Amino acid sequence: MAEAYDPGNIFAKILRGEIPSHRVYEDDAIVAFMDVMPQGAGHTLVVPKAPSRNMLDADPATLGPLFAVVQKIAVAVKKAFNADGVTVMQFNEPASGQTVYHLHVHVVPRFEGVPLKPHSGQMEKPEVLAENAGKIRAALGG
Ligand code: 5GP
């Protein structure tokens, strides 16, 4: 039996506007913002507003719109950072590496020969996150 969704998780707080984030995209159902401990410049998280711990307990109706936005963000980060590729990741439960228990998808621009930095590693400076968010917003708009 899966554990219950905890509305006190950090992404729920971000969605409610209780703690700040560098947002790049929002619609009725989905928000995308910068990961504070990026595994590469431009690492973005795409988060449905509907509450679920992860993909295992999500309403299947959430997943189609979520992945449509993941695609939009993947195209935008590739353009914004002139990347060679994009890694998309999604973790379910601690054994898989999940650390925040509200469904989210990682979108990370990739460059030939450059490895990913560690998951949940070092905090990025707010000014760098703000600058990167601006680049992604510009790519989404253009
Ligand atoms: P997970 O391991 O659950 O798939 O990923 C959680 C991600 O959330 C990690 O990449 C981590 O760096 C990021 N993260 C943790 N706390 C915060 C936060 O307060 N704000 C933002 N924007 N990202 C966070």
Side-chain angles (χ1 to χ4, degrees):
M1 171 98 179
E3 280 186 55
Y5 177 79
D6 174 8
N9 76 77
I10 198 95
F11 292 170
K13 290 180 182 172
I14 287 174
L15 291 171
R16 292 194 295 266
E18 293 168 10
I19 64 167
S21 65
H22 294 89
R23 293 193 186 206
V24 298
Y25 176 90
E26 178 161 11
D27 65 26
D28 288 352
I30 292 150
V31 172
F33 51 82
M34 306 313 294
D35 193 306
V36 286
M37 291 171 271
Q39 291 185 255
H43 183 165
T44 303
L45 299 168
V46 185
V47 184
K49 293 179 181 176
S52 74
R53 242 177 102 76
N54 52 45
M55 196 167 69
L56 303 177
D57 61 333
D59 181 344
T62 302
L63 303 178
L66 174 63
F67 274 83
V69 175
V70 167
Q71 182 192 38
K72 212 185 280 264
I73 298 297
V75 169
V77 298
K78 186 170 184 295
K79 180 177 171 191
F81 294 90
N82 199 21
D84 300 313
V86 181
T87 292
V88 173
M89 298 178 285
Q90 192 278 319
F91 304 113
N92 302 283
E93 298 301 327
S96 72
Q98 187 179 9
T99 58
V100 177
Y101 299 98
H102 180 114
L103 175 59
H104 56 278
V105 179
H106 300 257
V107 180
V108 191
R110 300 300 302 276
F111 302 89
E112 291 295 347
V114 180
L116 283 179
K117 290 184 197 165
H119 186 52
S120 297
Q122 228 176 333
M123 284 282 247
E124 185 53 276
K125 297 184 198 73
E127 59 270 28
V128 173
L129 294 176
E131 188 186 338
N132 289 344
K135 287 182 188 169
I136 297 168
R137 281 194 297 267
L140 282 165

